[in-house]
């Protein structure tokens, strides 16, 4: 393995460890905040962070929201486990079954997410933002279908790449929060959107960037991996290090400003 290959691997590992830590914090927040409302029997508590989260009398909509939130915790903690080579090597049966659960969960979350946006209604944001989130859900369905297809065909190398794409697409909402707080910290306040109405060009952009940018960077990583040259590997490694630092800042800001 060349020095360029080692640098690229270290950058990817660094990114993964920071992302996994941030997503673990997100899971703790979901369980602690929304679980508190369930235990206390006060689901109206959810509306502190959701504009029209719990709506009395709307049984179908409330059930869809509850399922969506529960599965968000499950899929966020399961995602990093799916990508750990140690898990795949030491407990392959667990990897296969958790992968099935992960894909089914991603499918249900995507469908319920689209339902919450276009049927239940009351979701904060512009139509452009709703379109971006819906496109994210469709990307999850596509990546999940392709990962399953190549797993069944025993083309493991191709399956693994689609599984990573699926992980990034599923993490879109998490990337949105982290990206938003990074933007607020850098600009020392809301720029490009109205904090009260949650409308503005930056949020429209971020709703698409939340999954297109991570997947785009992943494609650069794959290309650098596949090519023998060193310059591309060093360039992508440097990009990953910079993005990881930015993501770490966003995770810190989100943890302190939203989740805690």
């Amino acid at each position: 393995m060349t020095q360029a290959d080692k640098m690229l691997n270290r950058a990817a590992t660094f990114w993964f460890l920071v992302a996994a830590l941030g997503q673990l914090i997100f899971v703790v927040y979901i369980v602690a905040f929304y679980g508190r409302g369930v235990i206390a029997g006060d689901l109206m508590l959810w509306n502190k962070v959701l504009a029209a989260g719990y709506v009395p009398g709307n049984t179908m909509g409330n059930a869809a929201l509850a399922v969506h939130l529960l599965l968000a915790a499950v899929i966020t903690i399961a995602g990093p486990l799916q990508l750990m080579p140690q898990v795949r090597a030491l407990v392959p049966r667990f990897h296969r079954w958790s992968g099935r659960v992960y894909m089914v969960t991603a499918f249900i979350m995507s469908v319920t997410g689209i339902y919450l946006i276009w049927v239940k209604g009351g979701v904060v944001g512009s139509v452009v933002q709703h379109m971006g989130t819906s496109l994210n859900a469709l990307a999850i369905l596509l990546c999940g279908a392709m990962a399953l297809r190549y797993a069944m065909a025993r083309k493991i190398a191709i399956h693994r790449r689609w599984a990573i794409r699926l992980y990034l697409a599923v993490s879109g909402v998490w990337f949105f929060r982290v990206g938003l707080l990074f933007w607020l910290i850098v600009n020392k306040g809301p720029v490009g959107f109205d904090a009260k109405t949650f409308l503005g060009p930056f949020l429209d952009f971020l709703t698409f960037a939340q999954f297109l940018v991570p997947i785009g960077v992943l494609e650069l990583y794959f290309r650098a991996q596949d090519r023998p040259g060193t310059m591309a590997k060093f360039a992508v490694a440097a990009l990953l290090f910079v993005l990881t630092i930015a993501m770490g800042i966003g995770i810190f800001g989100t943890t302190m400003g939203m989740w805690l």
Side-chain angles (χ1 to χ4, degrees):
M1 182 180 291
T2 67
Q3 189 62 36
D5 289 315
K6 292 179 181 179
M7 187 64 69
L8 186 61
N9 288 341
R10 289 169 185 164
T13 301
F14 179 45
W15 180 93
F16 177 74
L17 292 175
V18 173
L21 175 61
Q23 292 186 340
L24 177 60
I25 297 172
F26 184 46
V27 170
V28 172
Y29 158 73
I30 293 174
V31 174
F33 179 77
Y34 293 101
R36 183 176 63 178
V38 174
I39 293 173
D42 181 17
L43 299 186
M44 293 298 292
L45 181 67
W46 295 0
N47 293 347
K48 280 190 173 183
V49 294
L50 299 173
Y54 177 76
V55 180
N58 187 354
T59 304
M60 181 65 73
N62 294 333
L65 176 62
V67 169
H68 191 78
L69 292 171
L70 174 63
L71 295 184
V74 172
I75 203 168
T76 303
I77 198 66
L81 289 176
Q82 282 299 111
L83 301 185
M84 290 181 179
Q86 297 86 349
V87 174
R88 293 198 305 270
L90 297 176
V91 279
R93 180 172 295 182
F94 172 79
H95 173 75
R96 288 193 295 270
W97 277 103
S98 62
R100 295 183 181 108
V101 171
Y102 187 80
M103 288 185 185
V104 171
T105 303
F107 175 82
I108 296 174
M109 281 195 64
S110 300
V111 173
T112 56
I114 293 173
Y115 172 86
L116 291 171
I117 291 173
W118 300 107
V119 180
K120 181 177 182 289
V123 180
V124 174
S126 66
V127 173
V128 175
Q129 292 176 44
H130 296 342
M131 291 174 62
T133 304
S134 300
L135 185 60
N136 192 170
L138 295 177
I140 291 172
L141 296 176
L142 172 63
C143 293
M146 297 300 289
L148 178 61
R149 173 188 174 186
Y150 286 109
M152 295 177 66
R154 303 300 182 192
K155 297 181 179 180
I156 303 303
I158 303 177
H159 157 74
R160 183 174 179 274
R161 293 197 170 190
W162 278 106
I164 298 174
R165 294 183 183 106
L166 173 62
Y167 166 70
L168 294 179
V170 167
S171 301
V173 175
W174 181 82
F175 282 125
F176 181 94
R177 286 166 170 78
V178 171
L180 175 60
L181 264 293
F182 173 77
W183 181 258
L184 290 173
I185 291 172
V186 169
N187 292 286
K188 299 180 180 180
V191 174
F193 71 97
D194 188 313
K196 293 183 178 179
T197 63
F198 219 61
L199 300 174
F202 174 73
L203 295 182
D204 292 344
F205 160 78
L206 187 59
T207 308
F208 287 89
Q210 67 184 12
F211 67 100
L212 292 177
V213 170
I215 291 177
V217 174
L218 176 66
E219 297 307 317
L220 292 177
Y221 172 76
F222 286 154
R223 286 177 177 270
Q225 262 192 332
D226 295 339
R227 293 183 178 179
T230 60
M231 289 304 298
K233 290 182 172 62
F234 280 123
V236 174
L239 176 62
L240 282 174
F241 276 119
V242 171
L243 291 177
T244 303
I245 296 299
M247 183 174 65
I249 294 172
I251 290 170
F252 175 79
T254 309
T255 301
M256 302 305 296
M258 295 176 65
W259 297 335
L260 290 183

